[in-house]
Amino acid sequence: MDPTQFDRRQLLAGGGAVFFCTLAGHRLSLDQPADVAKLAAGVPVPPRVAKPDGAAEAGAVTAGAGKKANTRQYWIRAEQVKWDIVPSGRDQMMNSRVRGRTRFPAYAYRPYSANFGSPLGPATIPGPLIEAEVGEQVVVHFQNHVDVPTTIHPHGIFYAEEMDGTYKGRFTDPGGFVQKNRTFTYVWEAREDSVGTWLYHDHGPMDPLPVFKGMFGPLIVRDPGAPSPPDKEFFLIMHSFSPVATQLNQQFACVNGRAYAGNTPTLRARVGQRVAFHVIALDDDFHTFHLHGHRWVDTSGFGTEGNPGTGKALDTKTLGPGESFTFEFVEDNPGRWFYHCHVFSHLHMGMNGWYIVR
Ligand SMILES: [Cu+2]
């Protein structure tokens, strides 16, 4: 068979759409809107989750009881919010207007005071920073207020199987399928090998649509013996908003829930300050984080036996889905700088922002 003919036929059969994932028996593509609530209706409640009332929430709370470790507690609720990806309506890099609709019904994590007393801020994309020091226990009370079952699944920190926050079909633990208006308490441990910058995100039965609607955030485990934190710390998550999740008619390449300089975070520092960038990638692409006017020494792998790191100077680093890295430098170069993804299509779909040094 003529291979060009085959490709053409395949393309036509799929309507030009590129396969993304199968969810509740439906094949989804990134560029075609999906209704996540409708899809969720087709997912059966796993047997361990469907236990008698209250059983799904018990157990978890006692998992860390009796431990001597210091505990850090978080109250985080998943909420539905109208989210504007380009609130200014403009792209400051190209000095142009961004056409089309940019607001969509998002899912986002929102921090609360103890026992969900009152919100500590708005629901944001990414969600609140979860922070711990080695030796601490992290207790995250998670309440789900979105229409579909969701979870919190952490990277890097230690957790027992039932604290994984992951849907596993009929083997799912209660923490992997938190239904609307239910609460689940995750208990994790910051151990020595957890030091670093990580992320957390939904890993429930509708994975990855809630992530593509905004359910992710940064997590950092600090070494209490390390030098004091830098003067400036920036947490940047590189991701995208695709029509499959936003129901908008175009794709946006984002940093922290926004697209295009002037909407993405504008970072500020002064000469002489110690500056740290924590960079995370989370969508279906690789990203090359690039910072203008600066270099840093690649220390990834330093301190690990058999992997001394390269020690090379970098100004660009590639991240795959779910990866993260941190770099630090002492600021010595004033100016108005760009940070951006160096994949050009991402850069021009909005994955860029300002770094301003005085
Ligand atoms: Cu990119």
Side-chain angles (χ1 to χ4, degrees):
M1 189 202 282
D2 176 357
T4 52
Q5 218 175 24
F6 177 73
D7 286 343
R8 198 175 123 76
R9 266 200 2 210
Q10 248 195 345
L11 195 69
L12 290 176
V18 179
F19 173 70
F20 172 47
C21 69
T22 300
L23 210 46
H26 292 79
R27 286 170 64 85
L28 306 180
S29 64
L30 280 175
D31 57 352
Q32 305 207 329
D35 184 335
V36 60
K38 218 174 194 174
L39 290 170
V43 178
V45 177
R48 279 179 213 159
V49 180
K51 281 188 297 195
D53 233 17
E57 285 110 69
V61 189
T62 57
K67 286 235 169 171
K68 282 247 168 84
N70 291 328
T71 297
R72 275 210 212 210
Q73 298 205 70
Y74 291 89
W75 283 264
I76 296 177
R77 184 183 283 168
E79 297 185 2
Q80 292 175 185
V81 287
K82 273 280 180 191
W83 185 263
D84 199 334
I85 304 168
V86 192
S88 78
R90 294 198 63 83
D91 167 4
Q92 289 189 354
M93 183 178 81
M94 302 308 279
N95 194 25
S96 62
R97 202 163 75 82
V98 176
R99 295 176 178 282
R101 285 189 304 128
T102 58
R103 266 163 66 92
F104 79 101
Y107 292 172
Y109 292 115
R110 186 175 193 180
Y112 278 77
S113 63
N115 305 312
F116 293 99
S118 54
L120 297 175
T124 53
I125 301 171
L129 175 66
I130 295 180
E131 201 173 351
E133 279 188 359
V134 171
E136 287 180 329
Q137 190 175 67
V138 178
V139 175
V140 178
H141 307 271
F142 172 59
Q143 202 167 78
N144 183 21
H145 275 204
V146 306
D147 286 339
V148 307
T150 59
T151 73
I152 299 184
H153 163 73
H155 283 216
I157 200 163
F158 176 86
Y159 48 84
E161 186 189 8
E162 68 272 23
M163 295 297 159
D164 188 0
T166 298
Y167 177 67
K168 302 174 186 169
R170 65 189 190 87
F171 305 103
T172 305
D173 289 306
F177 197 102
V178 184
Q179 289 160 286
K180 189 176 187 179
N181 298 327
R182 296 284 188 116
T183 302
F184 184 86
T185 299
Y186 299 100
V187 182
W188 309 323
E189 278 172 48
R191 296 186 173 179
E192 253 170 53
D193 58 2
S194 299
V195 170
T197 300
W198 309 94
L199 65 158
Y200 64 89
H201 59 88
D202 166 71
H203 210 315
M206 306 319 293
D207 175 86
L209 283 188
V211 170
F212 274 68
K213 285 171 89 60
M215 287 185 71
F216 51 81
L219 185 158
I220 187 165
V221 177
R222 299 185 196 272
D223 174 0
S228 57
D231 304 306
K232 284 281 182 172
E233 273 196 306
F234 305 120
F235 290 85
L236 302 176
I237 303 192
M238 308 170 88
H239 67 104
S240 50
F241 282 132
S242 304
V244 65
T246 62
Q247 312 201 309
L248 299 172
N249 52 20
Q250 59 181 314
Q251 166 104 2
F252 294 93
C254 301
V255 180
N256 291 7
R258 313 272 193 210
Y260 302 105
N263 304 281
T264 53
T266 295
L267 316 175
R268 292 172 196 276
R270 291 195 314 273
V271 170
Q273 284 185 317
R274 255 176 70 223
V275 177
F277 281 71
H278 303 276
V279 187
I280 296 165
L282 192 65
D283 58 9
D284 218 34
D285 271 311
F286 282 77
H287 302 290
T288 51
F289 183 84
H290 175 53
L291 178 63
H292 285 213
H294 296 79
R295 296 143 307 294
W296 64 87
V297 176
D298 180 24
T299 54
S300 49
F302 269 136
T304 316
E305 215 178 321
N307 183 359
T310 66
K312 260 180 58 177
L314 300 179
D315 74 356
T316 304
K317 191 172 165 92
T318 305
L319 292 128
E323 289 191 326
S324 49
F325 80 104
T326 295
F327 63 87
E328 243 189 75
F329 54 78
V330 176
E331 184 51 70
D332 64 354
N333 200 1
R336 176 177 282 271
W337 306 108
F338 276 128
Y339 65 85
H340 64 87
C341 177
H342 224 302
V343 177
F344 288 104
S345 57
H346 300 172
L347 167 59
H348 287 273
M349 283 190 287
M351 204 174 264
N352 58 70
W354 297 116
Y355 174 45
I356 298 172
V357 182
R358 297 288 173 236

Coordinates of all heavy atoms in Angstrom, one line a residue, residues 238 253 283 285-288 341-343 346-347 351, ligand 1:
M238 N 5.3 24.9 34.2 CA 5.1 25.0 32.8 C 4.0 24.0 32.4 O 4.2 22.8 32.6 CB 6.4 24.8 32.0 CG 7.5 25.7 32.5 SD 9.1 25.2 31.9 CE 9.2 26.1 30.4
A253 N -0.2 27.9 25.9 CA 1.0 27.4 26.6 C 1.2 28.3 27.8 O 1.4 29.5 27.6 CB 2.2 27.3 25.7
D283 N 2.5 18.7 31.6 CA 1.4 18.5 30.6 C 1.9 17.4 29.6 O 2.6 16.5 30.1 CB 1.0 19.8 29.9 CG 2.2 20.5 29.1 OD1 3.3 19.8 29.0 OD2 2.0 21.6 28.6
D285 N 3.9 17.6 27.0 CA 5.0 18.0 26.2 C 6.3 18.1 27.0 O 6.3 18.2 28.2 CB 4.8 19.4 25.6 CG 4.0 19.3 24.3 OD1 4.5 18.6 23.5 OD2 3.0 20.0 24.2
F286 N 7.4 18.2 26.3 CA 8.7 18.6 26.9 C 8.8 20.1 26.8 O 8.4 20.7 25.8 CB 9.9 17.9 26.2 CG 10.0 16.4 26.7 CD1 9.1 15.5 26.2 CD2 10.9 16.1 27.6 CE1 9.2 14.1 26.6 CE2 11.0 14.8 28.1 CZ 10.1 13.8 27.6
H287 N 9.5 20.7 27.8 CA 9.7 22.1 27.8 C 11.2 22.4 28.0 O 11.8 21.7 28.8 CB 8.8 22.8 28.8 CG 7.4 22.5 28.6 ND1 6.6 23.1 27.6 CD2 6.5 21.7 29.3 CE1 5.4 22.6 27.6 NE2 5.3 21.8 28.7
T288 N 11.7 23.5 27.4 CA 13.0 23.9 27.7 C 13.0 25.2 28.3 O 12.8 26.3 27.7 CB 13.8 23.9 26.4 OG1 13.1 24.7 25.4 CG2 14.0 22.5 25.8
C341 N 9.8 29.2 27.6 CA 10.1 27.9 27.1 C 10.7 28.1 25.7 O 10.2 28.9 24.9 CB 8.8 27.1 27.0 SG 9.1 25.5 26.2
H342 N 11.7 27.3 25.4 CA 12.4 27.5 24.1 C 11.9 26.7 23.0 O 12.4 26.7 21.9 CB 13.9 27.4 24.3 CG 14.7 28.4 23.5 ND1 14.5 28.6 22.2 CD2 15.5 29.4 24.0 CE1 15.3 29.6 21.8 NE2 15.9 30.1 22.9
V343 N 10.8 25.9 23.3 CA 10.1 25.3 22.2 C 9.3 26.4 21.5 O 8.4 27.0 22.2 CB 9.1 24.2 22.7 CG1 8.3 23.6 21.5 CG2 9.9 23.1 23.4
H346 N 5.5 26.7 21.8 CA 5.1 27.0 23.1 C 5.3 28.5 23.5 O 4.4 29.2 24.0 CB 5.8 26.2 24.2 CG 5.6 24.7 24.0 ND1 6.3 23.7 24.6 CD2 4.8 24.0 23.1 CE1 5.9 22.5 24.3 NE2 5.0 22.7 23.3
L347 N 6.5 29.0 23.1 CA 6.8 30.4 23.4 C 5.8 31.3 22.8 O 5.3 32.2 23.5 CB 8.2 30.7 22.8 CG 8.7 32.1 22.7 CD1 8.7 32.9 24.0 CD2 10.0 32.2 22.0
M351 N 4.0 30.8 26.5 CA 4.8 30.4 27.6 C 6.1 31.3 27.8 O 7.2 30.9 27.5 CB 5.3 28.9 27.4 CG 5.6 28.1 28.6 SD 5.9 26.4 28.3 CE 4.4 25.7 28.7
Ligands
CU1 CU 7.4 24.2 26.2

